[in-house]
Amino acid sequence: MNRTMILQMIVSGALMGQVYALIAYGFQLTYATSKSINFGQGELVMLSAFFSLTLINWGIAYPLVVVGGLLFGAVLGLFVERAGVRLALEQKSEGWILLTIILGLFGFSTAENIWGRDDRPFPTPISSDPIHIFGIGITPLEVSVILGVFAVMGLIEGFKRYTLLGKAFAALAADRDAAGLMGISATRTIMLSYALSGFVSAMAGILIAPITTVGPTMASTLILKAFSVAVVAGLDSGFGVVITGLVLGAIESLTSFFLGSGWREAPGLLLLILALAVRPTGLFGKTTIRKV
Amino acid sequence: MLICEQVHAGYGNVRVLHGISFAVQAGKVVALIGANGAGKTTAMRAISGLIGPDQGSIMLDRQPIHHLEAARIAHLGLAHVPEGRHVFAPLTVEDNLLLGAYGWLPRLFGFRRKAAQEMDRVMQLFPKLAERRRQLAGTLSGGEQQMLAIGRAIMARPKVMLLDEPSMGLAPVIVQEVFSIIRRLKDQGMTLLLVEQFASHALAVADYAYVLERGRIVVQGYPEELMKNEQVVTAYLG
Ligand SMILES: Nc1ncnc2c1ncn2[C@@H]1O[C@H](COP(=O)(O)OP(=O)(O)OP(=O)(O)O)[C@@H](O)[C@H]1O
Ligand SMILES: [Mg+2]
């Protein structure tokens, strides 16, 4: 067993972990404005990937496919907000939990009906021939994942920090009534946050699809790990998810190497349980997750 | 400018306001006084749309607003400085002020430049805030937070400003300062509805006043009249 190989495991795992981080970031976006999260977000990842694949099959150029896929994700996010979240929030109920789960199941069966149950390859112009750096092989595809994740998160964080509309996100999160008094519409801001979380999910789908293939179940384990990352990092911690994702991804790939791939999902679950037991506010976070 | 007629409001099954009517003319300062739990805060929340009134009408500048949500009412020119200040604690002083002007600033870019003039005005009024521009609002003292809350409302360029117990929990010197600001706003022609539990300060700046008791307006009049009214004096000025 040599060092390079272990390093290789860590690097590939950590890269993969950035996709968990991105989806976890999607949870954070809606949590910040509405204290609700979309439990069907995995299905958004999957549906957007399928949609993008369809665009590819229609012969549309890859950059346009990405744009189309992202917009599709944003629209799905808006749909989830309208159909599953708004009414529940207006009635101050926790009904969004069940409703977003149901919408997720609905999305799952829709995907099966339209695209079938098989996993399909997702062709991409980005190469998967590894480049070797210090003996560690990294594929351009993996690099595209990390660039994509950082680009999207950087863009949204910049939006939140440097535009007035983005500052309204933080204002709404901090004090809902006071935000209303400033003329910040909670409904519209929450809509925007759901659109952004859909956008982020679609990005995750497009980035991961060439590596994992596309199928109705492609996001089912992904979402669990993203959830672990969100809970461990805290639902309000911004970049905490990046570090947590990095670590979880690395541990995962080591676990599956040393204990066998059947143990691959174990660290994520273990981490989730530990986090909930030891520090329900998340390592980087402040507020607790009630009743979730 | 602001007219409430027969407004009923409350929370869930608890009725708090039982049909109150009052008016605030443009450029005037009107005080609403009353004991703890009289319903002063509830009245303000009903006006600004934080709670929907069950009955009655509220007009802002001849436009009915009682069916609108808070954000819409804010856009129509009503600024409410809530009880307990409610500044955005995790945001900087500057961001708090910018958000005060959310109604009329561009949402994406160029808002800083557009807000500069208004911002300077507020900073002149509250030099302390200028010093603490980049400090998080949650780390300000109570008095500074109150100044910020008022400054944020000024940023909105409102037609009417509601001030709910701006002196609450502040040291006497700071209370003086807050009231001198209120006087300045009045001199600049701002229309104000002022809620105070300790009535003497409020009556000193007000043009007209209403006394609220258990959700009903029991006395109203010019400050000089109220200051001669025995009941009012023993209950609120003694
Ligand atoms: N969120 C709420 N839910 C239920 N009842 C409430 C709520 N807020 C206030 N009340 C009740 O409404 C009544 C009036 O309260 P309100 O806050 O309007 O009084 P106030 O005149 O502003 O008093 P204070 O001088 O103490 O601020 C009180 O009896 C109070 O218990
Ligand atoms: Mg009150």
Side-chain angles (χ1 to χ4, degrees), chain A residues 31 34-35 94 96-97 287-292:
Chain A
Y31 187 79
S34 64
K35 300 277 176 289
E94 311 279 345
W96 53 267
I97 297 177
T287 42
T288 37
I289 311 151
R290 311 159 305 143
K291 299 189 199 169
V292 171

Side-chain angles (χ1 to χ4, degrees), chain A residues 159 161-168 170-172 174-189, chain B residues 45 48 50 69-71 74-75 80 82 86 88 90-91 95 98-100 102-103 105-109 111-112 152:
Chain A
F159 159 76
R161 236 159 265 196
Y162 301 114
T163 72
L164 195 63
L165 191 55
K167 289 177 197 292
L172 191 65
D175 192 324
R176 204 185 162 82
D177 276 356
L181 295 179
M182 302 303 114
I184 298 165
S185 156
T187 314
R188 285 205 210 165
T189 314
Chain B
R45 291 170 64 85
S48 63
L50 288 177
E69 57 165 24
H75 283 282
H80 175 179
H86 287 265
F88 300 116
L91 295 172
D95 284 351
L98 286 169
L99 285 163
Y102 187 81
L105 284 180
R107 299 285 156 74
L108 293 179
F109 305 107
F111 53 88
R112 244 174 247 283
R152 194 175 60 173

Side-chain angles (χ1 to χ4, degrees), chain A residues 168-204:
Chain A
F169 265 58
L172 191 65
D175 192 324
R176 204 185 162 82
D177 276 356
L181 295 179
M182 302 303 114
I184 298 165
S185 156
T187 314
R188 285 205 210 165
T189 314
I190 292 170
M191 277 170 72
L192 181 60
S193 73
Y194 267 86
L196 285 176
S197 90
F199 184 89
V200 156
S201 310
M203 191 67 181

Side-chain angles (χ1 to χ4, degrees), chain B residues 28-49:
Chain B
K28 300 288 180 198
V29 176
V30 169
L32 191 58
I33 56 186
N36 282 127
K40 308 180 294 293
T41 297
T42 307
M44 291 212 153
R45 291 170 64 85
I47 294 169
S48 63

Side-chain angles (χ1 to χ4, degrees), chain B residues 40-42 83 164-165 195:
Chain B
K40 308 180 294 293
T41 297
T42 307
E83 183 177 80
D164 195 346
E165 301 214 35
V195 155

Side-chain angles (χ1 to χ4, degrees), chain B residues 13 19 24-25 43 45 53 62-64 67 75 81 96 108 138-139 144 146 162 173 194 233:
Chain B
N13 293 325
V24 185
Q25 259 101 44
R45 291 170 64 85
R62 296 197 203 83
Q63 192 172 351
H67 55 287
H75 283 282
V81 180
N96 268 269
L108 293 179
T139 64
E144 289 160 357
Q146 187 64 61
L162 315 186
V173 204
L194 173 64
V233 171

